[in-house]
Amino acid sequence: MPTAWFYRLKAAQRDLITRCGGIKRSAEIASLSQSQMGRFNNDGDPELMPLPAVLMLEHECASPLVTAIMAELNGRRLADNVDAGEIANASIMASHAEVVVQAGELMAKGAMAFADGRLTSSEAAGIDRQAASLERAISDLRLAAANARAHGLTVVGGAK
């Protein structure tokens, strides 16, 4: 039986494949077959993506999804090397709204999954996917909040 760390890596691989445009496009980027990429995308398959494929796909979508999980599993976190001007354009209100939307969708997915008193593997995978979306939204909100603290941004008007 696979363990929790395995499912975290499989979920990150699935997110990476999605961000790169799906199985076919990801297979092209990583120079792998579509069937192999499909196995990486399948929770029920024990095969994990090789490191070169992870690096190529993360470079393509400019997001270290699998690398971040590997760091997290070892008690570490990645730090972004982000330009301050780029951060200044973040909208804290839009980021907050996205967190609220994603949290609502996670609650709805959980309520539907738990309604019959049983949680299937498919329902758990759906909850995991929605939790990943919420996690990304929270990360974006935290970045916008840090920017607001550092630069004194306002959410109304244009004055600091």
Side-chain angles (χ1 to χ4, degrees):
M1 188 79 180
T3 58
W5 68 263
F6 172 81
Y7 287 117
R8 292 283 287 140
L9 282 173
K10 288 297 271 192
Q13 284 182 178
R14 194 175 48 250
D15 293 344
L16 185 60
I17 291 168
T18 300
R19 282 206 188 172
C20 286
I23 291 172
K24 183 177 180 181
R25 175 100 171 89
S26 296
E28 291 170 1
I29 294 165
S31 299
L32 297 170
S33 71
Q34 288 183 40
S35 62
Q36 191 172 19
M37 196 58 66
R39 288 192 300 273
F40 300 145
N41 198 51
N42 181 350
D43 276 342
D45 193 291
E47 194 170 351
L48 293 173
M49 210 177 272
L51 190 54
V54 169
L55 294 174
M56 285 186 266
L57 294 173
E58 287 182 342
H59 176 74
E60 176 68 21
C61 74
S63 186
L65 299 173
V66 174
T67 301
I69 296 305
M70 289 190 299
E72 179 184 307
L73 291 171
N74 286 290
R76 303 283 189 252
R77 290 184 59 180
L78 300 181
D80 289 334
N81 210 7
V82 181
D83 178 32
E86 187 178 316
I87 295 172
N89 294 328
S91 168
I92 195 164
M93 290 176 67
S95 296
H96 181 267
E98 184 62 17
V99 167
V100 171
V101 167
Q102 294 301 325
E105 289 180 13
L106 177 61
M107 287 185 271
K109 188 158 296 271
M112 289 187 320
F114 305 139
D116 62 359
R118 293 182 36 224
L119 182 65
T120 66
S121 178
S122 176
E123 290 169 331
I127 289 171
D128 181 52
R129 280 192 292 277
Q130 190 57 50
S133 295
L134 176 59
E135 197 170 54
R136 282 191 299 278
I138 289 171
S139 178
D140 291 345
L141 176 60
R142 292 188 73 197
L143 181 63
N147 181 54
R149 288 179 69 190
H151 300 287
L153 296 178
T154 60
V155 292
V156 179
K160 286 188 177 181

